[in-house]
Amino acid sequence: MYEQKTKETDADVIEFIEAVDNPKKRQDAFKLLELFEQTSGFPAKMWGSSIIGFGSYHYVYKTGHEGDAPLVGFSPRKAKISLYFATGDEDRGPLLEKFGKHTSGKACVYINKTEDIDLDVLQQLIRQSIDFLQELYSAKK
């Protein structure tokens, strides 16, 4: 049986951010914490050892694999800051075009610093991702 690696934990979000080595990344993490909490309406929770997530939903894949994941989140990693959004949201492209300097994968968007991006567009990405997942999975509050 598959054991989900990234689960919600009781670890302290503020302690995690305060332990970030790079002062600029730490400052950006506090800025993102406030923005994600205000925009999502959910309190920050640690997911695994390094992801700060907001809200959660339960997913079930066609294969039968299921689990829980944060609706949105971020992680101040050494190389870049990872922003986590919904996988499969085909409507994200137009917002990313206006977002600023970033790279992206299926669910992650990577930034160097918050000055590189449009924070209003980030708020739109957060809301869009939450709406997409709540509609798709009837997310729990």
Side-chain angles (χ1 to χ4, degrees):
M1 183 78 176
Y2 173 81
E3 177 71 23
Q4 184 178 341
K5 291 184 182 110
T6 306
K7 297 179 186 174
E8 186 177 318
T9 72
D10 291 330
D12 188 283
V13 172
I14 301 299
E15 284 179 17
F16 170 72
I17 294 174
E18 287 175 346
V20 171
D21 285 342
N22 182 310
K24 177 63 182 132
K25 277 218 172 52
R26 189 168 49 247
Q27 180 184 359
D28 281 348
F30 279 117
K31 184 185 286 188
L32 290 170
L33 174 66
E34 184 177 348
L35 189 136
F36 270 78
E37 278 189 333
Q38 287 177 350
T39 306
S40 72
F42 294 102
K45 301 281 186 174
M46 289 302 302
W47 285 75
S49 61
S50 63
I51 296 174
I52 300 167
F54 302 84
S56 66
Y57 67 100
H58 186 77
Y59 61 85
V60 180
Y61 294 144
K62 291 176 186 167
T63 61
H65 170 76
E66 63 183 289
D68 296 301
L71 289 165
V72 290
F74 71 92
S75 183
R77 305 209 183 264
K78 281 196 192 298
K80 294 184 182 267
I81 297 170
S82 300
L83 306 173
Y84 298 96
F85 300 113
T87 303
D89 182 1
E90 305 287 330
D91 298 329
R92 186 180 307 134
L95 284 175
L96 287 177
E97 288 176 19
K98 302 184 291 185
F99 188 49
K101 187 177 173 184
H102 73 281
T103 57
S104 58
K106 282 185 182 177
C108 292
V109 174
Y110 306 98
I111 63 170
N112 289 317
K113 56 189 183 290
T114 56
E115 285 81 12
D116 289 344
I117 60 168
D118 183 323
L119 296 178
D120 290 334
V121 174
L122 176 55
Q123 289 180 297
Q124 292 173 54
L125 285 164
I126 291 168
R127 282 192 292 270
Q128 180 173 307
S129 187
I130 290 171
D131 290 347
F132 175 83
L133 288 170
Q134 286 181 329
E135 186 174 319
L136 188 63
Y137 292 106
S138 300
K140 61 184 180 182
K141 297 276 182 186

